[in-house]
Amino acid sequence: MPKRENISMSVIRRLPRYYRFLYHLKEKGVVRILSTELSQKLGLTASQIRQDLNCFGGFGQQGYGYIVSQLCDEIGRILGLSNGYKTILLGAGNLGRAMANHMAFGADGFQLIGVFDNSPEKIGTKIGDLTVLDTAGLETFCKEQSPFMAALCVPRTAAERLGNLLYSYGIRNFWNFSHYDISLQHPDTIVENVHLNDSLMTLCYRISNNPNQKRTDVTSVK
Amino acid sequence: MPKRENISMSVIRRLPRYYRFLYHLKEKGVVRILSTELSQKLGLTASQIRQDLNCFGGFGQQGYGYIVSQLCDEIGRILGLSNGYKTILLGAGNLGRAMANHMAFGADGFQLIGVFDNSPEKIGTKIGDLTVLDTAGLETFCKEQSPFMAALCVPRTAAERLGNLLYSYGIRNFWNFSHYDISLQHPDTIVENVHLNDSLMTLCYRISNNPNQKRTDVTSVK
DNA sequence: TTTCAAATGTTAAGAGATTGACAATCTTAA
DNA sequence: TTAAGATTGTCAATCTCTTAACATTTGAAA
């Protein structure tokens, strides 16, 4: 139920940040928050925050502010965090293990139901409650469990193969850490790319061209 | 030697992508590339690519195109990838190990010289050539080695403590995976934040509000 | 119950980024 | 050596995002 249709990516990428902060406040028992307070704590303008929130509806009370728990819940609902989309993870290396643990809490809208690898050393090992399975069993698993999202924590070449394989098994949503870009091959997919190398190189540029550079999130393109 | 002064963050965040792709072409032995080809392969407009590159100088030859190896080297130089900034990493969990391996190749402008953790189980273990050191020895290490960048792969509370500690030891550049925002405390720092939870939540939003959403990189805020 | 103060919701202006069009320049072939 | 073809470099227009200002609404106190 968005108030307006075209919500821009810039707005969407700020929502998780709002959510995180509000959740934190909620836990601390804070009842009420003002857009100006939020702006100070997050390093944004109050205007932007009010405008962002009003893309989805008027969650505040004029003359009073926002009720923390209510606003937090609303943003969580907008993000769809309670959906718990069934997810599989490919690649049980260090990165894969780290991301599996990240998702284990299920707080971000995804429920991890399987981890796969093709290295004999890793198959059979435990990640949280889950046992790492052989990639050979992927097709069967997908047919039985119908996972909805796949996290790709494998090198580029493997990602190319696996991405297309998973697509053929019906998966259309990806969290992608590799440099292979699935969405260029399959335009009907939703792919969230995380390019850690790019992030490092950007940092390198900012350091190298130092004069008094300010902070910028991946989110807040300045 | 930037042609113009204020290069926008939007442009900078595209440079690593150009670099990666050109490096790939270079390895394959491709000599010449056109802006139109680049645009097709990367899913951008040719105009944008030409404009981006011209922020730094005219690297192409009119009527011919760009020489792959030359352009690749130029972008690498602009990003400062050969600087090999001395870097320490905090947190030898799965994420830390993954990022240490990422940086081990030194291809992204940083040279890892130390890994720290405070868990007795991890101290003394190996990550590549490096041995995980006790966080207690951080101050001495910093005084002797003068690291220039620190990668924070620790939980929020630890990041808060460590971030300020490292700042007091003179470190001003951070690659930050935690949710603690150093730059709000210390405005004279350069911080590249990677918020994996945010990335997941954004993906969750995009899936939940599906109609025919298109691809968007963390980089290319659409 | 009424009024004042305060903070949101909303609109419009300003800043920034992207796109398209064209001029400038180079390569190549005759 | 010259001219044609091709592609970059650059400028201007469009589009998008952000910021500021103001109108609107609500809550609290008198």
Side-chain angles (χ1 to χ4, degrees), chain B:
Chain B
M1 47 183 79
K3 203 171 174 186
R4 292 174 188 175
E5 272 308 306
N6 298 332
I7 312 287
S8 81
M9 256 307 171
S10 317
V11 174
I12 294 163
R13 290 201 182 283
R14 279 190 294 268
L15 292 182
R17 196 130 150 262
Y18 297 153
Y19 181 80
R20 273 197 283 120
F21 189 74
L22 289 165
Y23 194 87
H24 191 64
L25 287 179
K26 190 171 144 186
E27 280 189 324
K28 285 204 298 183
V30 177
V31 176
R32 173 185 160 188
I33 187 88
L34 309 181
S35 62
T36 46
E37 289 181 70
L38 270 174
S39 73
Q40 282 161 20
K41 299 283 187 179
L42 295 173
L44 302 170
T45 66
S47 199
Q48 181 163 65
I49 292 172
R50 292 206 298 274
Q51 182 130 306
D52 283 355
L53 297 177
N54 278 297
C55 290
F56 303 96
F59 303 131
Q61 296 175 45
Q62 291 178 337
Y64 177 84
Y66 299 89
I67 295 169
V68 172
S69 64
Q70 185 189 314
L71 185 57
C72 182
D73 294 351
E74 284 288 354
I75 296 179
R77 193 185 49 73
I78 291 164
L79 289 169
L81 300 186
S82 60
N83 287 331
Y85 295 118
K86 286 200 279 185
T87 298
I88 55 173
L89 185 145
L90 291 111
N94 287 315
L95 183 64
R97 296 189 106 83
M99 294 309 107
N101 292 330
H102 250 274
M103 289 193 285
F105 300 102
D108 301 325
F110 298 95
Q111 183 204 350
L112 193 62
I113 60 167
V115 181
F116 293 84
D117 204 297
N118 56 10
S119 148
E121 303 150 22
K122 285 166 191 158
I123 296 166
T125 61
K126 281 272 182 184
I127 298 185
D129 308 338
L130 297 168
T131 305
V132 178
L133 303 173
D134 191 331
T135 314
L138 200 52
E139 185 169 8
T140 315
F141 187 95
C142 287
K143 281 186 179 158
E144 287 172 357
Q145 302 275 340
S146 300
F148 199 66
M149 193 272 268
L152 292 179
C153 298
V154 295
R156 188 208 165 91
T157 46
E160 190 166 342
R161 196 177 65 80
L162 285 172
N164 294 312
L165 209 58
L166 292 166
Y167 183 89
S168 77
Y169 301 156
I171 297 181
R172 293 291 177 274
N173 306 299
F174 295 90
W175 197 29
N176 178 40
F177 286 81
S178 85
H179 287 153
Y180 173 66
D181 201 332
I182 310 155
S183 63
L184 285 178
Q185 291 289 324
H186 305 288
D188 61 336
T189 52
I190 296 179
V191 181
E192 181 78 13
N193 291 307
V194 180
H195 295 318
L196 297 166
N197 284 318
D198 291 19
S199 171
L200 261 185
M201 290 192 218
T202 303
L203 178 57
C204 190
Y205 173 91
R206 293 171 62 200
I207 294 174
S208 304
N209 301 265
N210 180 23
N212 303 349
Q213 227 103 351
K214 288 257 175 142
R215 187 200 68 128
T216 11
D217 275 64
V218 176
T219 359
S220 73
V221 173
K222 160 79 185 303

Side-chain angles (χ1 to χ4, degrees), chain A residues 123-210:
Chain A
I123 296 166
T125 61
K126 281 271 181 183
I127 298 185
D129 308 336
L130 297 167
T131 305
V132 178
L133 304 173
D134 191 330
T135 314
L138 199 52
E139 185 169 8
T140 315
F141 187 94
C142 287
K143 280 186 179 159
E144 287 172 358
Q145 302 276 340
S146 301
F148 200 65
M149 193 272 267
L152 292 179
C153 299
V154 294
R156 189 209 164 90
T157 46
E160 191 166 339
R161 197 177 63 81
L162 285 172
N164 294 312
L165 209 57
L166 292 166
Y167 182 89
S168 77
Y169 300 156
I171 297 181
R172 294 291 178 273
N173 305 299
F174 295 91
W175 197 28
N176 177 40
F177 286 80
S178 85
H179 287 153
Y180 172 66
D181 202 332
I182 310 155
S183 63
L184 285 180
Q185 291 289 325
H186 306 288
D188 61 336
T189 53
I190 296 179
V191 181
E192 180 78 14
N193 290 308
V194 180
H195 294 318
L196 297 165
N197 285 318
D198 291 17
S199 172
L200 262 184
M201 290 192 218
T202 304
L203 178 57
C204 189
Y205 174 91
R206 293 171 62 199
I207 294 173
S208 305
N209 302 266
N210 180 23

